[in-house]
């Protein structure tokens, strides 16, 4: 009986279609009676148009199937997490070599317009290409799921290669605006890694925002470079926050992790929101204090310094959207201090941050730097050092780094390709 009930329940939309069609036919049938004929014609035409659109787009979901964006390859620990967005609900997979990986949880494929699929880094580094595929799912109900139509797209992949120096572009705080960042990256050749250092969103409330972020990241990486992403405070607000680990690089539902490229180790930290959990605008749902305390305990357990050297690590770079060593920032002072102390044993060479919409370099000992390592504020929507923020979408300044045996060099480069400032031997 249960199955029968579900079949009846799930076929209600189809009975509705037939009922609606019957009403239209009845109206047309009564056209032969003269009184009120014009009104009946208008009614029949209007209902017919509604009937066609509702049937095509809502009942049978006949929208065209395509990828909304290029694929995005997030690097997290020993995985690449390949993400993409589709025009309608689909199931998705990634093929690397002969292996196929599915967006699947507990044995069931995830039906969604957003997919993120984990593949082993070693495999993709070796194969140097991958294919994403999605299949449209028209209805996904108990005892009644149907799929039709697939699209797929193949990409080359360029694993990071430090033989000529590890070349990194770091940006942050573009807040869904794409053109300035895209123009800046267009001046850089032979990049190995892109660091998306937070506040790419304004808030996380709808999947169209995720698609916009994928479009930017897919474009600037050509879907062929690894991207390391940090969570900014604007990715810590919005109604879809609990889905954020499914949208961007994350590890076990968290946005703090490590990732290593050859002799360079990245520590990805997350101060989450810039508001207290008790702030009236977020207190109903915020649980960031507990999250940050767990993260700080995790940082204390990490290898660093001498052990890193034994493991062949020559440089350690920390990434955190909000600059934890900053000495004058009030709302998150307590956890920033705890993070600064907890990270002291790691032997960090440089922290890349954003959040302040400025481009600045703070040496050790600077009165605005409480840490034992320098830090950079590395992204703003402006093309000059003097101005921090403009209204022009095509202006942006980010940070270009080269890491090699000689050390780390960092340059602030704008969307015209001009180097505004350069720091060597960091
Ligand atoms: Fe921020």
């Amino acid at each position: 009986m249960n199955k029968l009930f579900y079949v009846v329940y799930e076929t209600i939309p189809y009975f509705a279609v037939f009922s609606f069609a019957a009403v239209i036919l009845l109206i047309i049938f009564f056209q032969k009676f003269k009184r009120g004929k014009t009104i009946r014609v208008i009614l029949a035409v209007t209902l017919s148009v509604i009937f066609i659109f509702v049937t095509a787009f809502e009942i049978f979901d006949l929208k065209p199937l395509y990828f909304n964006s290029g694929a995005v390859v997030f690097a997290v620990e020993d995985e690449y997490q390949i993400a993409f967005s589709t025009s309608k609900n689909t199931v998705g997979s990634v093929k690397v070599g002969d292996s196929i990986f599915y967006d699947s949880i507990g044995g069931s494929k995830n039906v969604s317009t957003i997919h993120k699929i984990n593949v082993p880094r070693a495999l993709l580094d070796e194969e140097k290409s991958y294919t994403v595929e999605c299949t449209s799912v028209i209805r996904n109900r108990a005892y009644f799921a149907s799929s039709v139509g697939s699209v797929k797209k193949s990409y080359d992949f360029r694993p990071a290669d430090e033989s000529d120096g590890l070349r990194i572009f770091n940006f942050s705080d573009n807040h869904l605006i794409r053109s300035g960042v895209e123009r800046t990256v267009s001046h850089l050749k032979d990049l190995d890694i892109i660091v998306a250092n937070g506040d790419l969103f304004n808030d996380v409330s709808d999947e169209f925002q995720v698609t916009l972020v994928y479009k930017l990241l897919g474009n600037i990486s050509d879907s062929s470079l690894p991207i390391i992403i940090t969570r900014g405070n604007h990715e810590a607000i919005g109604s879809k926050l609990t889905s954020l680990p499914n949208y961007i690089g994350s590890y076990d539902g968290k946005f703090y992790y490590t990732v290593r490229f050859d002799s360079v180790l990245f520590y990805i930290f997350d101060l989450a929101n810039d508001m207290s959990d008790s702030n009236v605008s977020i207190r109903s749902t915020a649980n960031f204090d507990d999250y940050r305390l767990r993260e700080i305990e995790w940082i204390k357990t990490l290898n660093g310094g001498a052990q890193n050297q034994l493991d062949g690590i020559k440089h350690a770079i920390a990434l955190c959207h909000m600059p934890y060593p900053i000495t004058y920032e009030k709302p998150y002072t307590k956890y920033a201090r705890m993070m600064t102390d907890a990270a002291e044993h790691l032997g960090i060479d440089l922290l890349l941050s954003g959040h302040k919409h400025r481009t600045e370099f703070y040496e050790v000992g600077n009165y605005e730097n409480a840490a034992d390592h320098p830090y950079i504020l590395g992204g703003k929507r402006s093309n000059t050092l003097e101005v921090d923020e403009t209204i022009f979408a095509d202006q942006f300044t980010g940070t270009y780094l080269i890491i090699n045996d000689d050390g780390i060099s960092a340059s602030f480069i704008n969307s015209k390709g001009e180097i505004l400032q350069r720091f060597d031997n960091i």
Side-chain angles (χ1 to χ4, degrees), residues 14 19 22 43 46 49-50 97 122 141 158 163 172 203-204 244 253 287 302 382-383 405-406:
Y14 302 95
S19 304
L43 192 60
T46 306
V49 170
I50 294 171
R141 298 288 189 271
R158 300 202 307 273
S163 61
S172 63
D203 57 275
V204 186
L244 188 63
N287 189 31
L302 291 170
S382 157
N383 269 352
D405 287 344
D406 295 333

mmCIF file with all atom_site columns, all heavy atoms in Angstrom, residues 14 19 22 43 46 49-50 97 122 141 158 163 172 203-204 244 253 287 302 382-383 405-406:
data_model
loop_
_atom_site.group_PDB
_atom_site.id
_atom_site.type_symbol
_atom_site.label_atom_id
_atom_site.label_alt_id
_atom_site.label_comp_id
_atom_site.label_asym_id
_atom_site.label_entity_id
_atom_site.label_seq_id
_atom_site.pdbx_PDB_ins_code
_atom_site.Cartn_x
_atom_site.Cartn_y
_atom_site.Cartn_z
_atom_site.occupancy
_atom_site.B_iso_or_equiv
_atom_site.pdbx_formal_charge
_atom_site.auth_seq_id
_atom_site.auth_comp_id
_atom_site.auth_asym_id
_atom_site.auth_atom_id
_atom_site.pdbx_PDB_model_num
ATOM 1   N N   . TYR A 1 14  ? 1.217   14.816 -12.904 1.00 0.00 ? 14  TYR A N   1
ATOM 2   C CA  . TYR A 1 14  ? 0.796   14.353 -14.238 1.00 0.00 ? 14  TYR A CA  1
ATOM 3   C C   . TYR A 1 14  ? -0.727  14.344 -14.347 1.00 0.00 ? 14  TYR A C   1
ATOM 4   O O   . TYR A 1 14  ? -1.297  14.698 -15.380 1.00 0.00 ? 14  TYR A O   1
ATOM 5   C CB  . TYR A 1 14  ? 1.391   12.965 -14.512 1.00 0.00 ? 14  TYR A CB  1
ATOM 6   C CG  . TYR A 1 14  ? 2.907   12.996 -14.429 1.00 0.00 ? 14  TYR A CG  1
ATOM 7   C CD1 . TYR A 1 14  ? 3.563   12.646 -13.249 1.00 0.00 ? 14  TYR A CD1 1
ATOM 8   C CD2 . TYR A 1 14  ? 3.667   13.421 -15.511 1.00 0.00 ? 14  TYR A CD2 1
ATOM 9   C CE1 . TYR A 1 14  ? 4.938   12.710 -13.161 1.00 0.00 ? 14  TYR A CE1 1
ATOM 10  C CE2 . TYR A 1 14  ? 5.047   13.488 -15.429 1.00 0.00 ? 14  TYR A CE2 1
ATOM 11  C CZ  . TYR A 1 14  ? 5.682   13.128 -14.259 1.00 0.00 ? 14  TYR A CZ  1
ATOM 12  O OH  . TYR A 1 14  ? 7.034   13.212 -14.166 1.00 0.00 ? 14  TYR A OH  1
ATOM 13  N N   . SER A 1 19  ? -5.731  17.087 -16.157 1.00 0.00 ? 19  SER A N   1
ATOM 14  C CA  . SER A 1 19  ? -6.931  17.814 -15.732 1.00 0.00 ? 19  SER A CA  1
ATOM 15  C C   . SER A 1 19  ? -6.959  19.195 -16.369 1.00 0.00 ? 19  SER A C   1
ATOM 16  O O   . SER A 1 19  ? -7.992  19.664 -16.850 1.00 0.00 ? 19  SER A O   1
ATOM 17  C CB  . SER A 1 19  ? -6.950  17.964 -14.205 1.00 0.00 ? 19  SER A CB  1
ATOM 18  O OG  . SER A 1 19  ? -6.847  16.699 -13.607 1.00 0.00 ? 19  SER A OG  1
ATOM 19  N N   . ALA A 1 22  ? -7.857  18.991 -19.898 1.00 0.00 ? 22  ALA A N   1
ATOM 20  C CA  . ALA A 1 22  ? -9.292  18.715 -20.053 1.00 0.00 ? 22  ALA A CA  1
ATOM 21  C C   . ALA A 1 22  ? -10.109 19.993 -19.936 1.00 0.00 ? 22  ALA A C   1
ATOM 22  O O   . ALA A 1 22  ? -11.067 20.215 -20.690 1.00 0.00 ? 22  ALA A O   1
ATOM 23  C CB  . ALA A 1 22  ? -9.732  17.697 -18.998 1.00 0.00 ? 22  ALA A CB  1
ATOM 24  N N   . LEU A 1 43  ? -9.658  33.120 -22.660 1.00 0.00 ? 43  LEU A N   1
ATOM 25  C CA  . LEU A 1 43  ? -9.377  32.195 -21.547 1.00 0.00 ? 43  LEU A CA  1
ATOM 26  C C   . LEU A 1 43  ? -8.673  30.932 -22.043 1.00 0.00 ? 43  LEU A C   1
ATOM 27  O O   . LEU A 1 43  ? -7.697  30.461 -21.436 1.00 0.00 ? 43  LEU A O   1
ATOM 28  C CB  . LEU A 1 43  ? -10.703 31.825 -20.865 1.00 0.00 ? 43  LEU A CB  1
ATOM 29  C CG  . LEU A 1 43  ? -10.595 31.114 -19.516 1.00 0.00 ? 43  LEU A CG  1
ATOM 30  C CD1 . LEU A 1 43  ? -9.852  31.980 -18.513 1.00 0.00 ? 43  LEU A CD1 1
ATOM 31  C CD2 . LEU A 1 43  ? -11.992 30.785 -18.994 1.00 0.00 ? 43  LEU A CD2 1
ATOM 32  N N   . THR A 1 46  ? -5.036  31.799 -23.033 1.00 0.00 ? 46  THR A N   1
ATOM 33  C CA  . THR A 1 46  ? -4.211  32.060 -21.840 1.00 0.00 ? 46  THR A CA  1
ATOM 34  C C   . THR A 1 46  ? -3.886  30.754 -21.113 1.00 0.00 ? 46  THR A C   1
ATOM 35  O O   . THR A 1 46  ? -2.734  30.478 -20.766 1.00 0.00 ? 46  THR A O   1
ATOM 36  C CB  . THR A 1 46  ? -4.960  33.021 -20.882 1.00 0.00 ? 46  THR A CB  1
ATOM 37  O OG1 . THR A 1 46  ? -5.324  34.180 -21.602 1.00 0.00 ? 46  THR A OG1 1
ATOM 38  C CG2 . THR A 1 46  ? -4.070  33.402 -19.711 1.00 0.00 ? 46  THR A CG2 1
ATOM 39  N N   . VAL A 1 49  ? -1.325  28.667 -23.002 1.00 0.00 ? 49  VAL A N   1
ATOM 40  C CA  . VAL A 1 49  ? 0.062   29.136 -22.854 1.00 0.00 ? 49  VAL A CA  1
ATOM 41  C C   . VAL A 1 49  ? 0.612   28.719 -21.489 1.00 0.00 ? 49  VAL A C   1
ATOM 42  O O   . VAL A 1 49  ? 1.724   28.188 -21.384 1.00 0.00 ? 49  VAL A O   1
ATOM 43  C CB  . VAL A 1 49  ? 0.129   30.676 -23.034 1.00 0.00 ? 49  VAL A CB  1
ATOM 44  C CG1 . VAL A 1 49  ? 1.505   31.199 -22.631 1.00 0.00 ? 49  VAL A CG1 1
ATOM 45  C CG2 . VAL A 1 49  ? -0.191  31.047 -24.478 1.00 0.00 ? 49  VAL A CG2 1
ATOM 46  N N   . ILE A 1 50  ? -0.192  28.941 -20.433 1.00 0.00 ? 50  ILE A N   1
ATOM 47  C CA  . ILE A 1 50  ? 0.239   28.541 -19.083 1.00 0.00 ? 50  ILE A CA  1
ATOM 48  C C   . ILE A 1 50  ? 0.497   27.032 -19.057 1.00 0.00 ? 50  ILE A C   1
ATOM 49  O O   . ILE A 1 50  ? 1.513   26.557 -18.538 1.00 0.00 ? 50  ILE A O   1
ATOM 50  C CB  . ILE A 1 50  ? -0.836  28.923 -18.032 1.00 0.00 ? 50  ILE A CB  1
ATOM 51  C CG1 . ILE A 1 50  ? -0.957  30.445 -17.943 1.00 0.00 ? 50  ILE A CG1 1
ATOM 52  C CG2 . ILE A 1 50  ? -0.500  28.317 -16.669 1.00 0.00 ? 50  ILE A CG2 1
ATOM 53  C CD1 . ILE A 1 50  ? -2.136  30.917 -17.099 1.00 0.00 ? 50  ILE A CD1 1
ATOM 54  N N   . GLY A 1 97  ? 41.801  9.475  -15.858 1.00 0.00 ? 97  GLY A N   1
ATOM 55  C CA  . GLY A 1 97  ? 42.328  8.203  -16.357 1.00 0.00 ? 97  GLY A CA  1
ATOM 56  C C   . GLY A 1 97  ? 41.179  7.232  -16.556 1.00 0.00 ? 97  GLY A C   1
ATOM 57  O O   . GLY A 1 97  ? 40.160  7.574  -17.168 1.00 0.00 ? 97  GLY A O   1
ATOM 58  N N   . ALA A 1 122 ? 47.425  12.696 -6.308  1.00 0.00 ? 122 ALA A N   1
ATOM 59  C CA  . ALA A 1 122 ? 48.504  11.988 -7.013  1.00 0.00 ? 122 ALA A CA  1
ATOM 60  C C   . ALA A 1 122 ? 48.021  11.497 -8.378  1.00 0.00 ? 122 ALA A C   1
ATOM 61  O O   . ALA A 1 122 ? 48.761  11.539 -9.370  1.00 0.00 ? 122 ALA A O   1
ATOM 62  C CB  . ALA A 1 122 ? 48.996  10.816 -6.168  1.00 0.00 ? 122 ALA A CB  1
ATOM 63  N N   . ARG A 1 141 ? 11.949  11.386 -6.674  1.00 0.00 ? 141 ARG A N   1
ATOM 64  C CA  . ARG A 1 141 ? 11.013  11.111 -5.587  1.00 0.00 ? 141 ARG A CA  1
ATOM 65  C C   . ARG A 1 141 ? 11.068  9.619  -5.266  1.00 0.00 ? 141 ARG A C   1
ATOM 66  O O   . ARG A 1 141 ? 11.544  8.820  -6.063  1.00 0.00 ? 141 ARG A O   1
ATOM 67  C CB  . ARG A 1 141 ? 9.581   11.488 -5.989  1.00 0.00 ? 141 ARG A CB  1
ATOM 68  C CG  . ARG A 1 141 ? 9.389   12.949 -6.307  1.00 0.00 ? 141 ARG A CG  1
ATOM 69  C CD  . ARG A 1 141 ? 9.448   13.813 -5.046  1.00 0.00 ? 141 ARG A CD  1
ATOM 70  N NE  . ARG A 1 141 ? 9.066   15.188 -5.326  1.00 0.00 ? 141 ARG A NE  1
ATOM 71  C CZ  . ARG A 1 141 ? 9.904   16.136 -5.702  1.00 0.00 ? 141 ARG A CZ  1
ATOM 72  N NH1 . ARG A 1 141 ? 11.183  15.839 -5.875  1.00 0.00 ? 141 ARG A NH1 1
ATOM 73  N NH2 . ARG A 1 141 ? 9.487   17.371 -5.916  1.00 0.00 ? 141 ARG A NH2 1
ATOM 74  N N   . ARG A 1 158 ? 47.371  21.242 -15.113 1.00 0.00 ? 158 ARG A N   1
ATOM 75  C CA  . ARG A 1 158 ? 48.803  21.496 -14.976 1.00 0.00 ? 158 ARG A CA  1
ATOM 76  C C   . ARG A 1 158 ? 49.174  21.429 -13.496 1.00 0.00 ? 158 ARG A C   1
ATOM 77  O O   . ARG A 1 158 ? 48.906  22.367 -12.740 1.00 0.00 ? 158 ARG A O   1
ATOM 78  C CB  . ARG A 1 158 ? 49.180  22.882 -15.518 1.00 0.00 ? 158 ARG A CB  1
ATOM 79  C CG  . ARG A 1 158 ? 48.868  23.088 -16.984 1.00 0.00 ? 158 ARG A CG  1
ATOM 80  C CD  . ARG A 1 158 ? 49.713  24.211 -17.576 1.00 0.00 ? 158 ARG A CD  1
ATOM 81  N NE  . ARG A 1 158 ? 49.638  25.455 -16.846 1.00 0.00 ? 158 ARG A NE  1
ATOM 82  C CZ  . ARG A 1 158 ? 48.717  26.397 -17.049 1.00 0.00 ? 158 ARG A CZ  1
ATOM 83  N NH1 . ARG A 1 158 ? 47.768  26.207 -17.931 1.00 0.00 ? 158 ARG A NH1 1
ATOM 84  N NH2 . ARG A 1 158 ? 48.742  27.518 -16.374 1.00 0.00 ? 158 ARG A NH2 1
ATOM 85  N N   . SER A 1 163 ? 60.061  23.690 -10.169 1.00 0.00 ? 163 SER A N   1
ATOM 86  C CA  . SER A 1 163 ? 61.418  23.677 -10.725 1.00 0.00 ? 163 SER A CA  1
ATOM 87  C C   . SER A 1 163 ? 61.869  25.078 -11.147 1.00 0.00 ? 163 SER A C   1
ATOM 88  O O   . SER A 1 163 ? 63.048  25.404 -11.082 1.00 0.00 ? 163 SER A O   1
ATOM 89  C CB  . SER A 1 163 ? 61.507  22.701 -11.894 1.00 0.00 ? 163 SER A CB  1
ATOM 90  O OG  . SER A 1 163 ? 60.619  23.086 -12.914 1.00 0.00 ? 163 SER A OG  1
ATOM 91  N N   . SER A 1 172 ? 41.699  38.533 -2.905  1.00 0.00 ? 172 SER A N   1
ATOM 92  C CA  . SER A 1 172 ? 40.615  38.424 -1.912  1.00 0.00 ? 172 SER A CA  1
ATOM 93  C C   . SER A 1 172 ? 39.675  39.618 -2.088  1.00 0.00 ? 172 SER A C   1
ATOM 94  O O   . SER A 1 172 ? 39.975  40.567 -2.821  1.00 0.00 ? 172 SER A O   1
ATOM 95  C CB  . SER A 1 172 ? 41.189  38.438 -0.486  1.00 0.00 ? 172 SER A CB  1
ATOM 96  O OG  . SER A 1 172 ? 41.843  39.675 -0.245  1.00 0.00 ? 172 SER A OG  1
ATOM 97  N N   . ASP A 1 203 ? 27.556  37.117 0.687   1.00 0.00 ? 203 ASP A N   1
ATOM 98  C CA  . ASP A 1 203 ? 26.948  36.250 1.685   1.00 0.00 ? 203 ASP A CA  1
ATOM 99  C C   . ASP A 1 203 ? 26.632  34.947 0.972   1.00 0.00 ? 203 ASP A C   1
ATOM 100 O O   . ASP A 1 203 ? 26.675  34.889 -0.259  1.00 0.00 ? 203 ASP A O   1
ATOM 101 C CB  . ASP A 1 203 ? 25.672  36.868 2.289   1.00 0.00 ? 203 ASP A CB  1
ATOM 102 C CG  . ASP A 1 203 ? 24.649  37.189 1.216   1.00 0.00 ? 203 ASP A CG  1
ATOM 103 O OD1 . ASP A 1 203 ? 24.744  38.277 0.638   1.00 0.00 ? 203 ASP A OD1 1
ATOM 104 O OD2 . ASP A 1 203 ? 23.790  36.328 0.947   1.00 0.00 ? 203 ASP A OD2 1
ATOM 105 N N   . VAL A 1 204 ? 26.341  33.912 1.748   1.00 0.00 ? 204 VAL A N   1
ATOM 106 C CA  . VAL A 1 204 ? 26.072  32.606 1.134   1.00 0.00 ? 204 VAL A CA  1
ATOM 107 C C   . VAL A 1 204 ? 24.590  32.295 1.330   1.00 0.00 ? 204 VAL A C   1
ATOM 108 O O   . VAL A 1 204 ? 24.180  31.725 2.335   1.00 0.00 ? 204 VAL A O   1
ATOM 109 C CB  . VAL A 1 204 ? 26.957  31.509 1.755   1.00 0.00 ? 204 VAL A CB  1
ATOM 110 C CG1 . VAL A 1 204 ? 26.763  30.191 1.015   1.00 0.00 ? 204 VAL A CG1 1
ATOM 111 C CG2 . VAL A 1 204 ? 28.419  31.922 1.744   1.00 0.00 ? 204 VAL A CG2 1
ATOM 112 N N   . LEU A 1 244 ? 27.948  25.313 2.677   1.00 0.00 ? 244 LEU A N   1
ATOM 113 C CA  . LEU A 1 244 ? 29.197  25.857 2.141   1.00 0.00 ? 244 LEU A CA  1
ATOM 114 C C   . LEU A 1 244 ? 30.305  24.809 1.977   1.00 0.00 ? 244 LEU A C   1
ATOM 115 O O   . LEU A 1 244 ? 31.026  24.851 0.976   1.00 0.00 ? 244 LEU A O   1
ATOM 116 C CB  . LEU A 1 244 ? 29.684  27.019 3.027   1.00 0.00 ? 244 LEU A CB  1
ATOM 117 C CG  . LEU A 1 244 ? 30.877  27.805 2.475   1.00 0.00 ? 244 LEU A CG  1
ATOM 118 C CD1 . LEU A 1 244 ? 30.531  28.486 1.155   1.00 0.00 ? 244 LEU A CD1 1
ATOM 119 C CD2 . LEU A 1 244 ? 31.367  28.830 3.498   1.00 0.00 ? 244 LEU A CD2 1
ATOM 120 N N   . GLY A 1 253 ? 34.103  19.038 6.517   1.00 0.00 ? 253 GLY A N   1
ATOM 121 C CA  . GLY A 1 253 ? 33.142  20.077 6.899   1.00 0.00 ? 253 GLY A CA  1
ATOM 122 C C   . GLY A 1 253 ? 33.773  21.330 7.479   1.00 0.00 ? 253 GLY A C   1
ATOM 123 O O   . GLY A 1 253 ? 33.056  22.234 7.915   1.00 0.00 ? 253 GLY A O   1
ATOM 124 N N   . ASN A 1 287 ? 27.771  29.522 15.779  1.00 0.00 ? 287 ASN A N   1
ATOM 125 C CA  . ASN A 1 287 ? 28.461  28.632 16.719  1.00 0.00 ? 287 ASN A CA  1
ATOM 126 C C   . ASN A 1 287 ? 29.957  28.673 16.416  1.00 0.00 ? 287 ASN A C   1
ATOM 127 O O   . ASN A 1 287 ? 30.654  27.664 16.465  1.00 0.00 ? 287 ASN A O   1
ATOM 128 C CB  . ASN A 1 287 ? 27.907  27.209 16.574  1.00 0.00 ? 287 ASN A CB  1
ATOM 129 C CG  . ASN A 1 287 ? 28.416  26.289 17.647  1.00 0.00 ? 287 ASN A CG  1
ATOM 130 O OD1 . ASN A 1 287 ? 28.689  26.716 18.771  1.00 0.00 ? 287 ASN A OD1 1
ATOM 131 N ND2 . ASN A 1 287 ? 28.584  25.020 17.326  1.00 0.00 ? 287 ASN A ND2 1
ATOM 132 N N   . LEU A 1 302 ? 49.768  20.472 15.035  1.00 0.00 ? 302 LEU A N   1
ATOM 133 C CA  . LEU A 1 302 ? 50.440  20.385 13.728  1.00 0.00 ? 302 LEU A CA  1
ATOM 134 C C   . LEU A 1 302 ? 51.948  20.313 13.874  1.00 0.00 ? 302 LEU A C   1
ATOM 135 O O   . LEU A 1 302 ? 52.526  20.935 14.766  1.00 0.00 ? 302 LEU A O   1
ATOM 136 C CB  . LEU A 1 302 ? 50.087  21.615 12.878  1.00 0.00 ? 302 LEU A CB  1
ATOM 137 C CG  . LEU A 1 302 ? 48.655  21.715 12.378  1.00 0.00 ? 302 LEU A CG  1
ATOM 138 C CD1 . LEU A 1 302 ? 48.406  23.089 11.758  1.00 0.00 ? 302 LEU A CD1 1
ATOM 139 C CD2 . LEU A 1 302 ? 48.364  20.627 11.364  1.00 0.00 ? 302 LEU A CD2 1
ATOM 140 N N   . SER A 1 382 ? 41.133  48.381 -6.488  1.00 0.00 ? 382 SER A N   1
ATOM 141 C CA  . SER A 1 382 ? 41.711  49.658 -6.898  1.00 0.00 ? 382 SER A CA  1
ATOM 142 C C   . SER A 1 382 ? 42.984  49.346 -7.666  1.00 0.00 ? 382 SER A C   1
ATOM 143 O O   . SER A 1 382 ? 43.585  48.288 -7.481  1.00 0.00 ? 382 SER A O   1
ATOM 144 C CB  . SER A 1 382 ? 42.018  50.501 -5.657  1.00 0.00 ? 382 SER A CB  1
ATOM 145 O OG  . SER A 1 382 ? 43.008  51.472 -5.931  1.00 0.00 ? 382 SER A OG  1
ATOM 146 N N   . ASN A 1 383 ? 43.414  50.278 -8.511  1.00 0.00 ? 383 ASN A N   1
ATOM 147 C CA  . ASN A 1 383 ? 44.635  50.061 -9.293  1.00 0.00 ? 383 ASN A CA  1
ATOM 148 C C   . ASN A 1 383 ? 45.829  50.849 -8.761  1.00 0.00 ? 383 ASN A C   1
ATOM 149 O O   . ASN A 1 383 ? 46.891  50.817 -9.373  1.00 0.00 ? 383 ASN A O   1
ATOM 150 C CB  . ASN A 1 383 ? 44.393  50.454 -10.763 1.00 0.00 ? 383 ASN A CB  1
ATOM 151 C CG  . ASN A 1 383 ? 43.907  49.275 -11.588 1.00 0.00 ? 383 ASN A CG  1
ATOM 152 O OD1 . ASN A 1 383 ? 43.896  48.138 -11.120 1.00 0.00 ? 383 ASN A OD1 1
ATOM 153 N ND2 . ASN A 1 383 ? 43.500  49.541 -12.815 1.00 0.00 ? 383 ASN A ND2 1
ATOM 154 N N   . ASP A 1 405 ? 64.318  28.569 -3.997  1.00 0.00 ? 405 ASP A N   1
ATOM 155 C CA  . ASP A 1 405 ? 65.363  28.354 -2.992  1.00 0.00 ? 405 ASP A CA  1
ATOM 156 C C   . ASP A 1 405 ? 65.945  29.664 -2.471  1.00 0.00 ? 405 ASP A C   1
ATOM 157 O O   . ASP A 1 405 ? 66.505  29.713 -1.373  1.00 0.00 ? 405 ASP A O   1
ATOM 158 C CB  . ASP A 1 405 ? 66.488  27.479 -3.573  1.00 0.00 ? 405 ASP A CB  1
ATOM 159 C CG  . ASP A 1 405 ? 66.037  26.028 -3.716  1.00 0.00 ? 405 ASP A CG  1
ATOM 160 O OD1 . ASP A 1 405 ? 65.008  25.678 -3.094  1.00 0.00 ? 405 ASP A OD1 1
ATOM 161 O OD2 . ASP A 1 405 ? 66.689  25.262 -4.447  1.00 0.00 ? 405 ASP A OD2 1
ATOM 162 N N   . ASP A 1 406 ? 65.827  30.731 -3.271  1.00 0.00 ? 406 ASP A N   1
ATOM 163 C CA  . ASP A 1 406 ? 66.364  32.020 -2.828  1.00 0.00 ? 406 ASP A CA  1
ATOM 164 C C   . ASP A 1 406 ? 65.460  32.681 -1.789  1.00 0.00 ? 406 ASP A C   1
ATOM 165 O O   . ASP A 1 406 ? 65.859  33.640 -1.135  1.00 0.00 ? 406 ASP A O   1
ATOM 166 C CB  . ASP A 1 406 ? 66.504  32.983 -4.028  1.00 0.00 ? 406 ASP A CB  1
ATOM 167 C CG  . ASP A 1 406 ? 67.531  32.460 -5.027  1.00 0.00 ? 406 ASP A CG  1
ATOM 168 O OD1 . ASP A 1 406 ? 68.437  31.721 -4.596  1.00 0.00 ? 406 ASP A OD1 1
ATOM 169 O OD2 . ASP A 1 406 ? 67.412  32.778 -6.222  1.00 0.00 ? 406 ASP A OD2 1
#
